[in-house]
């Protein structure tokens, strides 16, 4: 069986429950109106520009100028960003704890996250300090799925991708890691994640 010495976690959707719907349910009680706003104005693609290093102010001002009639709802995105956090995904945090306590794996994080909001998460969630190292897209000015960020992760932390596992809830972000040599896991649930780690011989059943 292949042996691994590194496991790299994505954060949002794997260890941290983040969803703009949590905030915008309080702003747009209508499902239709809320879904329209999040698919047309404050889109995930727009948010990823901030994850890639654009300032929150610049991103917000860009949308306010384009959609002035929705200024209040646009500004809420980052003014009330904490309300998008649903908390830790506890079952995955427990897997993380087991990996840290019961294995010799080095554990890293590779996340698409704004450099301005990530410190808030660091204050809220103690487990974000458990990693041997972190690469945050907003600090690096480059984001997944750009192959360069995976290469940078491997070089900075001296990771041999052929001996490393990468887990992410977004399949789009798993593919470039696999192309570099990582064993990719597409995260769909903590139970499925645990079962795959057991299958790889990383955790005991």
């Amino acid at each position: 069986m292949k042996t691994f010495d590194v496991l790299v976690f994505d954060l949002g959707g794997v260890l941290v429950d983040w969803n703009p719907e949590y905030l915008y349910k309080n702003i747009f009680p209508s499902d239709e109106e809320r879904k329209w706003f999040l698919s047309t104005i404050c889109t995930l693609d727009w948010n990823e520009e901030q994850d890639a290093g654009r300032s929150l102010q610049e991103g917000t001002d860009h949308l306010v100028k384009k959609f002035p009639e929705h200024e209040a709802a646009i500004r809420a995105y980052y003014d009330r960003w904490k309300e998008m956090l649903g908390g830790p995904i506890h079952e995955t945090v427990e897997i993380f704890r087991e990996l840290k306590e019961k294995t010799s794996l080095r554990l890293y994080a590779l996340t698409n996250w704004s450099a301005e909001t990530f410190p808030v998460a660091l204050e809220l969630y103690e487990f974000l300090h458990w990693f041997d190292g972190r690469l945050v897209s907003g600090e690096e000015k480059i984001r997944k799925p750009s192959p360069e960020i995976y290469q940078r992760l491997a070089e900075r932390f001296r990771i041999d991708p052929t001996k490393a596992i990468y887990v992410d809830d977004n399949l789009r972000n798993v593919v470039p890691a696999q192309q570099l040599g990582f064993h990719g896991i597409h995260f769909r649930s903590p139970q499925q994640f645990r079962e795959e780690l057991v299958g790889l011989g990383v955790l005991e059943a």
Side-chain angles (χ1 to χ4, degrees):
M1 184 179 283
K2 189 172 180 179
T3 57
F4 298 95
D5 58 18
V6 165
L7 193 148
V8 181
F9 281 89
D10 171 42
L11 297 180
V14 176
L15 284 162
V16 177
D17 179 13
W18 174 85
N19 193 332
E21 292 259 351
Y22 297 151
L23 163 63
Y24 283 96
K25 277 179 180 175
N26 299 323
I27 295 172
F28 301 116
S30 155
D31 286 354
E32 191 176 339
E33 195 176 0
R34 182 171 67 256
K35 290 186 188 308
W36 177 85
F37 181 83
L38 291 173
S39 64
T40 309
I41 299 180
C42 287
T43 65
L44 290 176
D45 285 345
W46 166 79
N47 177 65
E48 284 196 335
E49 290 300 313
Q50 284 69 260
D51 289 349
R54 181 167 67 178
S55 74
L56 304 189
Q57 182 171 345
E58 188 181 345
T60 300
D61 289 348
H62 169 74
L63 282 192
V64 168
K65 189 175 179 181
K66 199 172 174 183
F67 304 102
E69 68 278 17
H70 294 286
E71 179 173 0
I74 292 166
R75 292 198 181 282
Y77 198 97
Y78 291 116
D79 287 349
R80 298 171 60 181
W81 179 82
K82 268 190 183 180
E83 293 177 51
M84 298 184 193
L85 295 171
I89 299 174
H90 294 287
E91 299 93 330
T92 319
V93 175
E94 278 310 305
I95 294 171
F96 184 13
R97 188 191 303 276
E98 278 184 53
L99 290 167
K100 192 149 185 72
E101 292 177 355
K102 297 181 180 179
T103 77
S104 58
L105 289 175
R106 288 185 290 141
L107 302 166
Y108 297 97
L110 175 63
T111 183
N112 279 357
W113 206 306
S114 161
E116 293 174 77
T117 57
F118 192 66
V120 178
L122 283 176
E123 281 189 22
L124 289 171
Y125 306 127
E126 172 60 28
F127 61 85
L128 294 180
H129 298 270
W130 297 353
F131 291 105
D132 295 297
R134 301 183 299 256
L135 211 63
V136 178
S137 64
E139 296 171 359
E140 302 297 322
K141 313 291 188 190
I142 188 169
R143 64 172 174 81
K144 299 179 285 187
S146 171
E148 187 182 336
I149 197 167
Y150 302 87
Q151 189 68 49
R152 194 175 296 182
L153 173 85
E155 289 171 1
R156 183 166 303 171
F157 299 119
R158 298 181 180 180
I159 295 168
D160 177 354
T162 65
K163 295 180 180 178
I165 298 165
Y166 176 70
V167 58
D168 199 305
D169 66 314
N170 190 332
L171 185 58
R172 175 199 73 170
N173 296 335
V174 176
V175 173
Q178 290 174 317
Q179 290 170 341
L180 195 60
F182 285 85
H183 179 91
I185 295 179
H186 179 209
F187 181 92
R188 294 179 293 282
S189 71
Q191 182 182 357
Q192 163 259 338
F193 178 41
R194 179 182 288 279
E195 287 171 358
E196 292 206 32
L197 292 178
V198 170
L200 292 170
V202 171
L203 286 178
E204 292 183 8

